Amino acid sequence: MSETDEKLQRGIIELDKGNDKKAFNLFKDVYETRQELLLQKVQDNPKSPTLMLDALYMIHGLVWLRVAEAGKEKTHSIELMGKAVGTVEAARTALGPLVTGLAQWAKEKNIKVVHNKALGLLAATKDLEDMAKKALEARRKME
């Protein structure tokens, strides 16, 4: 597991503990690291079919950042959770079909690593969307 993935996990744990500010800082670092990684990969190989996986990973970092920010900024929490939901919905709508196509291509080419990453990322995106929607509804009920 990469250092960035470990920070993401620590951020999720901090969210569960109610440490929104600490989670926000971890997620901010995750998002910025993933953004830099994506930009570097685009510069190194702009035709790589796996760039969309990196883009989706970066978007996941942004969604988690918005979730933590909503916990940190209580007065704007519904708006920020709405942004998190909108971001993950847009990612699923825009990148979902591309990642699904990549998974199919990787399966046909027998590239198991790419196939498994693509399918795992699609499932994680759906889980993240469900979590964000439930959190948004919970915040709306609190107000």
Side-chain angles (χ1 to χ4, degrees), residues 55-120:
L56 202 47
Y57 278 123
M58 182 193 70
I59 292 168
H60 281 206
L62 178 60
V63 171
W64 281 111
L65 180 64
R66 292 290 175 244
V67 169
E69 188 177 21
K72 193 176 89 149
E73 305 289 333
K74 304 291 187 209
T75 58
H76 301 290
S77 66
I78 291 177
E79 176 187 342
L80 292 165
M81 283 305 300
K83 285 182 179 183
V85 169
T87 300
V88 75
E89 285 177 339
R92 183 185 45 78
T93 302
L95 291 175
L98 297 172
V99 173
T100 300
L102 178 64
Q104 183 61 37
W105 172 82
K107 183 178 180 180
E108 291 169 3
K109 298 290 184 183
N110 201 27
I111 308 172
K112 290 185 186 272
V113 172
V114 172
H115 179 255
N116 292 338
K117 276 188 180 182
L119 292 180

Side-chain angles (χ1 to χ4, degrees), residues 26-37:
L26 288 165
F27 292 141
K28 184 177 181 201
D29 191 44
V30 167
Y31 171 69
E32 289 171 351
T33 300
R34 286 182 173 176
Q35 185 179 35
E36 289 172 16
L37 181 64

